[in-house]
Amino acid sequence: MNTLRSANMPNSLLPIRISDLGLIKGDRAVLGGVNLIIDEPGITVIMGPNGAGKSLLLRSLHGLITPDQGFITLGSLTVADSRNEQAMVFQQPVLLRRTVLQNLAFAAPKIAKTNPQRLIQALESVNLADRAAQPARMLSGGEQQRLSLARALLDEPALLLLDEATASLDPASVLMIESLVKAQSAQGTKVILVSHDQGQARRLADEVVFISAGQVTEQSPADRFFTAPQTPTAKAYLAGEILL
Amino acid sequence: MNTLRSANMPNSLLPIRISDLGLIKGDRAVLGGVNLIIDEPGITVIMGPNGAGKSLLLRSLHGLITPDQGFITLGSLTVADSRNEQAMVFQQPVLLRRTVLQNLAFAAPKIAKTNPQRLIQALESVNLADRAAQPARMLSGGEQQRLSLARALLDEPALLLLDEATASLDPASVLMIESLVKAQSAQGTKVILVSHDQGQARRLADEVVFISAGQVTEQSPADRFFTAPQTPTAKAYLAGEILL
Amino acid sequence: QSTTSTQNSGLYDYLLPILKKNTGIQVNVVAVGTGQAIKNAMRCDGDVLLVHAKSAEEKFVAGGYGEYRRDLMYNDFVIIGPKADPANLAGARDVIDAFQRIEQAGAKFASRGDDSGTHKKERSLWQAAAIDTDAGSGQWYLETGSGMGATLNTGVSLSAYVLTDRATWIKFANKQDAAIVFEGNPSLFNQYGVIPVNADRCPNVNREAAETFTQWLLSETGQAAIGAYQVEGKPLFFPNAN
Amino acid sequence: MDALAEAFRLIITLDADLFEILWLSIRVSLSALAISAVIGLPLGTYLAITKFPGRKFCILLLNTLMGMPPVVVGLMVYLLLSRSGPLGWLGLLYTPTAMIIAQAVLITPIIAALSNQVIENLHQEYSDTFYSMGVTGRRAVAAYLVDARYALTTCVLAGFGRAIAEVGAVIIVGGNIDHLTRVMTTAIALETSKGNLTLALGLGAVLLALSLLVNALVIGVREYAAKRQYA
Amino acid sequence: MDALAEAFRLIITLDADLFEILWLSIRVSLSALAISAVIGLPLGTYLAITKFPGRKFCILLLNTLMGMPPVVVGLMVYLLLSRSGPLGWLGLLYTPTAMIIAQAVLITPIIAALSNQVIENLHQEYSDTFYSMGVTGRRAVAAYLVDARYALTTCVLAGFGRAIAEVGAVIIVGGNIDHLTRVMTTAIALETSKGNLTLALGLGAVLLALSLLVNALVIGVREYAAKRQYA
Ligand SMILES: Nc1ncnc2c1ncn2[C@@H]1O[C@H](COP(=O)(O)OP(=O)(O)OP(=O)(O)O)[C@@H](O)[C@H]1O
Ligand SMILES: Nc1ncnc2c1ncn2[C@@H]1O[C@H](COP(=O)(O)OP(=O)(O)OP(=O)(O)O)[C@@H](O)[C@H]1O
Ligand SMILES: [Mg+2]
Ligand SMILES: [Mg+2]
């Protein structure tokens, strides 16, 4: 998977089938039988109120959560088998207690050996090159998010999961990351991205999936979602009205 | 300080004087002699690129960092003396390994004893009432941010420091929090808020302080800042251009 | 306070119930090396001292630490070693000769090296044999600095010779291929003494009980009881109260 | 292995002596543990979260005292309690109480040093928030102890292990007096000196079984609590 | 206190015997520590980060073995190495090697159990990220050991403390033979049995001074490294 993939090369992890995915925490059904099929390449943006279940859905796709019911297949693979093809950026980045550069090197030991130059480039791409030797945990919030993104992009994954990866970035960094993500998707990587930033969603989304209270309530092409959301909840969400 | 303060009651922590505040990390001057006077009540929004020094500045104000040079006074008080009058919401919320409600109770033991009802109200104000009995660390990212905000507001502080407190909130929650903050400031609490969200800044800011590379480059009334930023960096920042 | 060898011999387990029956006294045994026993008693920890190192005991009494000293009983030492008996102690004329044979044969000898009565005895024998053991310390002369039992464990597993009191040896369970190779020599007798700790120096000493216990040990009944104690059909202690 | 055979025969036949000894072992060690926990946990926590000159040195000292030889502890307590010692009038020497004291002295530094490490880690996470909330002193210590309770059990179990296994101190201050201060470890030592190695081993096995029980209880409770909390 | 006086007289007069004993103590304990660390740290880490049936039981077992009586360990190693034992032909009994083995057996569970706890805490933070990066097995263990190195030193020091202070095991497999296998703790026990309590205490003080030195070195290095890293 270190070979650059290209858009015309079909993505081995598509279509992504999520059937009747259910997850109970305590006495709440935090995911209540989610059914979702993602077969188009490009960028899918997941939106929905806090606590809707977006992160849990992403984590299930990544195999971090074993659901209480239902199952997921990616192309012909199970979640487990597709693990090495996936990369994920978490809502709260976790960096090792090492320098910025070592954090990258650790994530991709092969690259670190074969051509360390790639690592420097990766740092430049999120302009952290001048921080290479600094302890990663001393980075600012935004810098940490950028670093964990660079880490995720290192060995072009077939599926890239981003959980509010630009939440605390400055406008410039946001655009920078977005262009990186676009480029990656142009190379055939399927991107699923959780965001509350409607501007960002408009800029990136090919397709929008709306989740509320552990249910997928809408899956539409981006333009349609923003012009004519199908459900009142989605409408209210976009309008910024309180959802209970 | 549990007595409700009102706008006409002068805020004891004003004016806030920051003179020649300097902080060296490793070989970098992450704060390079910051001079800033905040004497107006209301809401001051601090903006600036990632790594500019916003969080460090807030942390110095809160007394979490002892600067290598310069000093800070709030009204007639030092940082240390004003500590009990301050409250801060961190960029990455830290919650105790307890239930949501216990987290509030721990933050304000007096209130928890005298009228526990207040705690429930606080939860409702960030609509987490139905999560009261859940382990706080199991909350979703946005829910955690809301809880830590409720915690900070519990005993009306004279100075409220918010570090990207709405970064990963859904639009509705953002508006909800903003109205809470407005209300608090209307009661005479001085609010200093770090945000990358220009919409939010426009909605809340009475005054904007722009920081870049450890320096305060501009301090203007909100309207002027957004219509006519004084520095090219600020202009570029608002336009979302890469700053190096 | 008592010395370990008597404890290991099981004498107390046999004696104390009888004592309790006769006098109603409950005795607590603290078994440590003679050296430690005496020092502890000097610190008033203990009411009656029962050890076997005559000179030290007399110093103890002379120093006013003890009321008086009485001979109580004796048992005898034996030399144990590998059945093969490389130094041929079996053919030794007397103890001196035996010790010399050990040294000449370059055989190993495990010494307690802990200032215990047994150790003092052994030291005196080496002196009599005019052998300087310090030179060989760590090579053939092994000072284990431990109690009789531990020293036997060491000696046996190193197939070294050991000077031990018969009681401990008979009761000792980890004999492996070791056996008594020299015994019965009168200079191997081992006199036990009993000393009530001086109650004037140590107000908290339980005088009556101490006295009763001592007197009982020295009495007909006590002496008889001691003499009657046998292990595997052999008497271990020979009462000789005077 | 006939050692176990013998040992378990003693158990099955409910050998009264054995149970007396077992019970004393557990009683002494648990009492010592209780004392040490009450002192050591707050102490270790305090040292982890409070900055003052000489703090590092105190921690260094605690770590060093983890290497305090039981015999030495025994001697010190002995000299303290011996009839001619300062506390001689208490007449505690050669009593279970003396053994408890000695073991408490022995394991308090262990519990303090280990908990200090655990809390220090948690402190890296909590310190800013606690500072901001003005949580200090007793409240902070208490909060840390509560929130780190799972990790702390291991520290406490380490202390228990040291106590229940220790012989050097208890034999000096207890005297290994039959029916009074004889515990499993001193009994094992005695059997060893008698050359009854297999029986000694058997008793060792019994002792291990005992502490297995204790550990199982503690860890069981911990697991159960953790489960219930994060269902 | 004349005990210290005596002890330090021995040092100042460079008493050869004392130094021989001190040196053997440190040699044996550090060797044992090295072995135990090499085994215990990865073991504890592995158990913290790998899910498999019986894992909890292994951890329970480790915690229990922290309470392994030194005498029992001594006996087991003794039976193993004794002439008639399976490894008798090695002729290791009553050699420093035997003491190293016994101490290693004694402290490996301690280091494993304590490091297990430390790593488990770090694992809560790292697990998701490592899973996502496909970091498992040896690489994961190594990474955890590196990132937790500061906290782990305390576990290792606890092991060292147990080793350097321990007497029950070394006296059985070493025999406390003068000029051959006598270490500080066995020497202390000997002086005690001779009734030279003050000298025994003095030696104890010397031993403590020694481990203070070791602890100071280790902690010093740790602090220095930490400082340099987060300047
Ligand atoms: N381990 C857990 N135990 C109990 N409840 C949980 C657990 N994990 C998540 N939840 C609950 O499940 C719900 C969905 O969580 P999730 O993190 O997916 O929300 P989200 O959609 O990502 O919200 P946000 O936009 O704030 O990140 C939340 O209400 C949360 O409280
Ligand atoms: N403890 C530290 N050691 C070294 N460098 C540090 C430390 N803390 C912060 N820095 C550096 O100081 C700079 C400013 O940090 P700060 O967190 O204030 O940035 P910020 O303005 O809050 O950025 P963001 O918008 O991403 O939160 C960053 O470049 C960061 O790398
Ligand atoms: Mg989320
Ligand atoms: Mg910041």
Side-chain angles (χ1 to χ4, degrees):
Chain A
M1 49 184 267
N2 283 347
T3 63
L4 287 183
R5 54 183 75 258
S6 76
N8 47 38
M9 175 204 303
N11 186 314
S12 59
L13 296 188
L14 290 178
I16 298 171
R17 283 205 171 71
I18 302 174
S19 7
D20 188 31
L21 191 71
L23 188 65
I24 317 278
K25 290 293 187 181
D27 46 5
R28 286 175 55 228
V30 288
L31 286 181
V34 172
N35 287 296
L36 183 63
I37 297 181
I38 299 177
D39 44 16
E40 290 303 310
I43 302 178
T44 299
V45 173
I46 299 180
M47 304 188 85
N50 295 132
K54 304 182 294 297
S55 296
L56 289 178
L57 182 59
L58 241 54
R59 295 166 65 80
S60 318
L61 272 170
H62 200 46
L64 284 165
I65 298 177
T66 38
D68 299 321
Q69 109 197 17
F71 58 87
I72 301 176
T73 59
L74 304 95
S76 56
L77 300 177
T78 66
V79 169
D81 303 336
S82 66
R83 214 257 255 98
N84 307 342
E85 304 281 315
Q86 301 188 17
M88 177 162 178
V89 177
F90 295 93
Q91 196 162 357
Q92 281 173 4
V94 173
L95 300 171
L96 276 70
R97 290 164 173 69
R98 312 182 180 195
T99 68
V100 170
L101 189 58
Q102 285 166 341
N103 264 275
L104 285 189
F106 181 77
K110 286 193 215 61
I111 299 178
K113 259 192 230 67
T114 54
N115 72 349
Q117 206 44 43
R118 271 276 319 275
L119 301 183
I120 308 298
Q121 290 159 6
L123 282 184
E124 280 158 355
S125 72
V126 293
N127 72 65
L128 283 174
D130 56 332
R131 297 268 190 290
Q134 184 176 331
R137 308 193 134 235
M138 298 296 138
L139 291 176
S140 78
E143 290 168 333
Q144 291 196 21
Q145 266 191 335
R146 270 147 53 187
L147 179 55
S148 49
L149 211 117
R151 187 172 64 182
L153 289 175
L154 259 181
D155 41 19
E156 297 89 7
L159 172 61
L160 177 61
L161 305 171
L162 305 174
D163 195 349
E164 304 183 33
T166 61
S168 57
L169 295 189
D170 61 47
S173 309
V174 169
L175 296 182
M176 179 178 65
I177 298 301
E178 288 178 358
S179 60
L180 278 175
V181 171
K182 278 215 199 81
Q184 196 64 49
S185 117
Q187 285 176 5
T189 296
K190 174 63 192 179
V191 178
I192 302 181
L193 172 151
V194 171
S195 176
H196 292 296
D197 179 342
Q198 297 180 38
Q200 176 168 72
R202 286 201 162 84
R203 291 189 294 271
L204 294 182
D206 298 311
E207 154 187 75
V208 174
V209 171
F210 190 80
I211 301 186
S212 135
Q215 300 280 357
V216 170
T217 58
E218 176 168 1
Q219 174 179 26
S220 326
D223 43 16
R224 176 141 67 88
F225 178 80
F226 289 110
T227 51
Q230 301 300 298
T231 61
T233 37
K235 209 181 258 90
Y237 175 86
L238 293 175
E241 294 160 17
I242 306 288
L243 307 170
L244 293 171
Chain B
M1 46 185 269
N2 284 347
T3 62
L4 287 184
R5 56 182 75 258
S6 75
N8 46 39
M9 176 205 303
N11 186 316
S12 59
L13 296 189
L14 289 178
I16 298 172
R17 285 207 170 71
I18 302 174
S19 3
D20 189 32
L21 190 71
L23 189 62
I24 315 276
K25 291 292 187 180
D27 47 4
R28 285 176 56 227
V30 289
L31 286 181
V34 172
N35 288 297
L36 182 62
I37 298 181
I38 298 178
D39 44 14
E40 291 302 310
I43 302 179
T44 300
V45 173
I46 300 181
M47 304 188 85
N50 295 131
K54 303 181 296 296
S55 296
L56 289 179
L57 181 59
L58 241 55
R59 295 166 65 78
S60 319
L61 272 171
H62 200 46
L64 284 166
I65 298 177
T66 38
D68 298 321
Q69 110 199 14
F71 57 86
I72 300 176
T73 58
L74 304 95
S76 56
L77 301 177
T78 67
V79 169
D81 303 336
S82 67
R83 215 257 255 93
N84 307 340
E85 303 282 315
Q86 300 189 20
M88 178 163 178
V89 177
F90 295 94
Q91 196 162 357
Q92 280 173 3
V94 173
L95 300 171
L96 276 71
R97 290 161 173 72
R98 313 181 178 194
T99 68
V100 171
L101 189 58
Q102 286 166 340
N103 263 276
L104 285 190
F106 181 78
K110 287 193 214 60
I111 298 178
K113 259 193 230 65
T114 54
N115 72 351
Q117 205 45 41
R118 271 276 319 274
L119 301 184
I120 308 298
Q121 290 160 7
L123 282 183
E124 281 158 355
S125 72
V126 294
N127 77 64
L128 284 174
D130 57 330
R131 298 269 192 285
Q134 185 176 329
R137 308 193 136 233
M138 299 295 139
L139 291 175
S140 78
E143 290 167 335
Q144 290 196 23
Q145 265 191 334
R146 269 147 53 187
L147 179 55
S148 51
L149 208 116
R151 186 171 64 181
L153 291 175
L154 258 182
D155 40 19
E156 296 89 8
L159 173 61
L160 178 60
L161 306 171
L162 305 174
D163 196 350
E164 301 183 34
T166 62
S168 57
L169 295 188
D170 62 45
S173 308
V174 170
L175 296 183
M176 180 178 65
I177 297 303
E178 288 179 358
S179 61
L180 279 177
V181 171
K182 278 216 200 79
Q184 195 65 50
S185 121
Q187 285 175 7
T189 296
K190 175 64 192 178
V191 177
I192 302 181
L193 173 151
V194 171
S195 175
H196 291 298
D197 179 342
Q198 297 179 39
Q200 178 168 70
R202 286 201 163 84
R203 289 189 294 272
L204 295 181
D206 298 310
E207 148 185 82
V208 174
V209 172
F210 190 81
I211 301 187
S212 138
Q215 300 278 359
V216 170
T217 57
E218 176 169 2
Q219 175 178 25
S220 327
D223 41 17
R224 175 141 66 88
F225 178 79
F226 289 110
T227 51
Q230 301 300 295
T231 60
T233 37
K235 211 181 257 91
Y237 174 86
L238 293 175
E241 294 161 17
I242 307 286
L243 309 169
L244 292 171
Chain C
Q1 300 277 350
S2 149
T3 175
T4 45
S5 40
T6 28
Q7 164 112 2
N8 290 1
S9 71
L11 178 62
Y12 293 118
D13 307 342
Y14 163 82
L15 224 47
L16 297 181
I18 306 178
L19 170 71
K20 194 153 180 85
K21 208 165 347 89
N22 296 2
T23 66
I25 301 180
Q26 166 66 45
V27 176
N28 293 332
V29 180
V30 177
V32 295
T34 299
Q36 189 177 0
I38 293 179
K39 293 272 196 350
N40 286 358
M42 284 183 174
R43 305 184 47 88
C44 301
D45 298 322
D47 300 337
V48 176
L49 187 61
L50 198 163
V51 291
H52 52 97
K54 195 154 187 167
S55 52
E57 293 168 41
E58 276 154 355
K59 267 208 232 77
F60 181 80
V61 176
Y65 296 105
E67 305 265 351
Y68 53 80
R69 175 187 182 285
R70 294 272 182 288
D71 282 344
L72 176 62
M73 61 190 181
Y74 71 86
N75 68 345
D76 66 333
F77 290 111
V78 298
I79 301 179
I80 66 105
K83 292 207 180 72
D85 190 11
N88 180 26
L89 263 59
R93 271 175 280 97
D94 57 15
V95 197
I96 310 301
D97 181 30
F99 272 45
Q100 283 159 344
R101 283 165 183 255
I102 292 174
E103 194 245 3
Q104 282 145 16
K108 284 200 171 74
F109 183 96
S111 159
R112 286 182 60 170
D114 63 351
D115 281 7
S116 59
T118 314
H119 181 230
K120 292 203 174 90
K121 180 82 182 178
E122 172 213 323
R123 296 300 317 156
S124 67
L125 291 173
W126 285 115
Q127 255 161 16
I131 294 174
D132 167 26
T133 53
D134 297 354
S137 176
Q139 284 95 45
W140 68 271
Y141 185 75
L142 308 171
E143 299 177 60
T144 65
S146 315
M148 199 67 255
T151 307
L152 284 173
N153 279 326
T154 310
V156 165
S157 345
L158 286 177
S159 38
Y161 291 93
V162 184
L163 177 76
T164 171
D165 61 289
R166 186 183 297 272
T168 308
W169 175 249
I170 292 180
K171 276 242 155 184
F172 189 68
N174 182 29
K175 293 195 173 71
Q176 292 183 32
D177 80 328
I180 297 180
V181 291
F182 185 88
E183 61 184 321
N185 188 294
S187 59
L188 284 179
F189 287 161
N190 174 35
Q191 182 61 55
Y192 280 84
V194 56
I195 307 175
V197 174
N198 184 340
D200 304 331
R201 257 194 84 261
C202 306
N204 42 21
V205 159
N206 182 342
R207 186 180 228 129
E208 302 72 43
E211 192 57 24
T212 331
F213 177 43
T214 318
Q215 288 313 326
W216 181 84
L217 284 173
L218 300 171
S219 73
E220 292 303 324
T221 19
Q223 293 281 298
I226 293 173
Y229 177 60
Q230 295 193 335
V231 171
E232 291 159 19
K234 300 190 206 65
L236 291 181
F237 297 93
F238 309 95
N240 68 337
N242 40 9
Chain D
M1 187 164 169
D2 60 350
L4 297 171
E6 166 66 357
F8 287 129
R9 194 190 55 67
L10 289 175
I11 292 191
I12 296 154
T13 61
L14 297 168
D15 180 275
D17 285 8
L18 177 59
F19 271 87
E20 184 186 1
I21 296 176
L22 261 176
W23 169 239
L24 186 63
S25 290
I26 199 79
R27 209 185 92 214
V28 168
S29 294
L30 283 185
S31 313
L33 186 63
I35 298 172
S36 303
V38 169
I39 301 172
L41 291 176
L43 177 61
T45 306
Y46 179 82
L47 286 177
I49 68 178
T50 326
K51 306 252 163 303
F52 61 87
R55 166 171 168 273
K56 291 257 172 254
F57 181 73
C58 295
I59 293 175
L60 170 59
L61 218 57
L62 282 183
N63 278 284
T64 306
L65 290 182
M66 287 199 292
M68 184 93 120
V71 182
V72 174
V73 174
L75 283 176
M76 293 185 337
V77 176
Y78 168 84
L79 293 176
L80 210 65
L81 299 181
S82 107
R83 285 178 180 168
S84 54
L87 301 182
W89 51 275
L90 290 172
L92 287 177
L93 197 59
Y94 303 130
T95 66
T97 314
M99 301 158 85
I100 293 174
I101 296 173
Q103 287 196 343
V105 172
L106 190 68
I107 65 179
T108 301
I110 296 176
I111 291 182
L114 294 179
S115 55
N116 174 265
Q117 184 58 62
V118 168
I119 300 297
E120 231 173 34
N121 294 348
L122 190 60
H123 185 55
Q124 290 178 1
E125 185 187 340
Y126 279 8
S127 54
D128 288 358
T129 306
F130 275 20
Y131 171 91
S132 172
M133 298 195 298
V135 177
T136 53
R138 300 163 153 284
R139 275 193 73 216
V141 171
Y144 276 109
L145 288 177
V146 171
D147 276 32
R149 56 192 174 283
Y150 300 125
L152 288 176
T153 49
T154 305
C155 311
V156 174
L157 286 179
F160 174 75
R162 180 66 174 271
I164 196 75
E166 178 284 321
V167 62
V170 285
I171 206 166
I172 292 182
V173 301
N176 187 24
I177 300 170
D178 202 359
H179 300 302
L180 184 59
T181 58
R182 177 161 302 164
V183 290
M184 288 301 282
T185 51
T186 55
I188 293 171
L190 177 59
E191 292 307 330
T192 308
S193 75
K194 287 190 194 166
N196 300 331
L197 304 192
T198 48
L199 178 55
L201 272 181
L203 294 177
V206 175
L207 182 56
L208 273 180
L210 181 71
S211 46
L212 181 68
L213 198 73
V214 173
N215 279 272
L217 278 176
V218 174
I219 292 183
V221 168
R222 175 176 71 181
E223 294 301 324
Y224 173 76
K227 279 246 169 9
R228 273 211 35 242
Q229 185 148 35
Y230 294 95
Chain E
M1 185 165 169
D2 60 350
L4 298 171
E6 167 65 358
F8 287 128
R9 195 191 53 68
L10 287 175
I11 292 193
I12 295 152
T13 61
L14 299 168
D15 179 276
D17 285 9
L18 178 60
F19 271 87
E20 184 184 1
I21 296 176
L22 260 176
W23 170 238
L24 187 62
S25 290
I26 200 79
R27 210 184 93 214
V28 168
S29 295
L30 283 185
S31 313
L33 186 64
I35 298 172
S36 302
V38 169
I39 300 172
L41 290 176
L43 177 62
T45 306
Y46 180 81
L47 287 177
I49 67 176
T50 327
K51 306 255 162 301
F52 61 89
R55 165 172 169 272
K56 292 258 170 250
F57 181 73
C58 295
I59 294 175
L60 170 60
L61 218 57
L62 281 184
N63 278 285
T64 305
L65 291 182
M66 286 197 292
M68 184 97 117
V71 183
V72 175
V73 174
L75 283 176
M76 290 179 350
V77 176
Y78 172 89
L79 293 176
L80 208 66
L81 299 182
S82 80
R83 282 272 163 56
S84 48
L87 299 182
W89 53 275
L90 290 171
L92 287 177
L93 200 56
Y94 302 118
T95 65
T97 315
M99 301 159 85
I100 293 175
I101 295 173
Q103 287 196 342
V105 172
L106 190 68
I107 63 177
T108 300
I110 296 177
I111 291 182
L114 293 179
S115 55
N116 174 266
Q117 184 57 61
V118 168
I119 300 297
E120 230 171 35
N121 294 350
L122 189 60
H123 185 57
Q124 289 178 3
E125 186 187 340
Y126 280 8
S127 53
D128 288 358
T129 306
F130 275 20
Y131 171 91
S132 171
M133 297 194 300
V135 177
T136 54
R138 300 163 154 284
R139 274 194 72 216
V141 171
Y144 276 110
L145 288 178
V146 172
D147 276 30
R149 57 191 174 283
Y150 299 125
L152 288 177
T153 48
T154 306
C155 310
V156 174
L157 287 179
F160 174 75
R162 180 66 174 271
I164 196 76
E166 179 284 321
V167 61
V170 284
I171 205 165
I172 291 182
V173 301
N176 184 28
I177 300 170
D178 202 2
H179 301 302
L180 188 59
T181 57
R182 180 161 300 168
V183 290
M184 287 301 281
T185 51
T186 55
I188 293 170
L190 173 56
E191 290 310 328
T192 308
S193 75
K194 287 188 190 169
N196 302 335
L197 304 192
T198 48
L199 178 54
L201 274 181
L203 293 177
V206 174
L207 182 55
L208 273 181
L210 182 71
S211 46
L212 180 69
L213 197 74
V214 173
N215 279 272
L217 277 176
V218 173
I219 292 183
V221 169
R222 175 176 72 181
E223 294 301 322
Y224 174 74
K227 278 248 168 10
R228 272 211 37 241
Q229 184 149 37
Y230 294 94

